[in-house]
Amino acid sequence: MKKILIALPIEENQRPWLEEQAAGGEACSFLYRTPDGVVPADMEGVQAVIGTISRKPIAAAKDLEWLQLSWAGADLFTAPGLLADNVILTNASGAYGLAVAEHMLATTLALMKRLHQYGRQQDAHVWELLGMVSSLEDATVLVLGLGDIGRYYARMANALGAHVIGVKRTPGEKPDYVEELYTLDALDAQLGRADVVAMVLPGGAQTEHIMDERRLRLMKQGAFLINDGRGGAIDPAGLKRVLADGLLGGVALDVTEPEPLPADDPLWDDPRVIITPHCSGKFLLPQTLERVVKLCGENLRRYTHGEPLLHIVNRQIGY
């Protein structure tokens, strides 16, 4: 009998549906915990974990065969030695596109319409025009990272009349809503064309500080930078120097380096910067949790029926 630990913030009425996915397969017993309530003692005899838990109890799971994350990002769990070689790691890629892309679109428009700056004026009870604004219609939007979230955002930007350039790590078929598609080796040549650079890259060595000061200075004067992928994809020192020189029109960061952003970091007080606390990809949108539970249920069915799992992470590259 397989012992499966479920660490998802699900309701009682969702449990029967999830367990039903294992019906007809190998017999299972289920242990439920909150995501932050799992301790090493809980891992005794556990063969599968569904949900993202801390690394300490994972290291104590001597019988673990499968770890299903409730996140899309898997880089925190690919460190050498954390998981035995035989453990299959899967993520929740595909569950977060709607929530994160809508957040990105909201911050893009807020920057272009200066809503964040008007918000500061409202706090100060100031009634004053702040000058010209811009539009997504006919703007050039470079989407850096064209996975599920990037495709969602690209489709939204295209629907609002933007010319969308996609840049991804590996070659692939170009979606209809992307006018141009390139790989990372073409990034430098494309940055200067974009009115908006929207980043949704995963973590890992290949993406660490991919937007360093040199690349930030390749961006168009007055362009907007959006990052909802990993904070480490932008060099924070370089970003501050570029902002100090007045190159960028605005920046929206849902992820930062480090996290949480220290209270004394000057980015908090920069009127061109929108900062949100890594909230776009949480379970704050009900549809996100529904999608995660559905994905986990499908993989549970596959696991108990001996079928190949979906969304297997390549632990060598972190996605």
Side-chain angles (χ1 to χ4, degrees), residues 205-224:
Q206 187 181 18
T207 61
E208 184 72 14
H209 288 186
I210 191 170
M211 288 299 289
D212 55 13
E213 184 173 351
R214 181 188 67 82
R215 281 205 171 106
L216 289 167
R217 292 190 181 279
L218 292 177
M219 291 177 61
K220 181 188 293 188
Q221 175 72 42
F224 302 104

Side-chain angles (χ1 to χ4, degrees), residues 154-207:
R155 186 164 60 246
M156 292 173 179
N158 171 265
L160 290 176
H163 178 90
V164 179
I165 299 172
V167 178
K168 60 196 301 282
R169 291 164 296 176
T170 56
E173 185 176 350
K174 184 183 73 63
D176 292 341
Y177 46 84
V178 173
E179 280 77 16
E180 304 174 47
L181 182 62
Y182 303 96
T183 51
L184 285 177
D185 56 357
L187 177 59
D188 287 5
Q190 303 305 319
L191 282 171
R193 300 176 56 198
D195 301 294
V196 177
V197 175
M199 302 174 58
V200 278
L201 292 168
Q206 187 181 18
T207 61

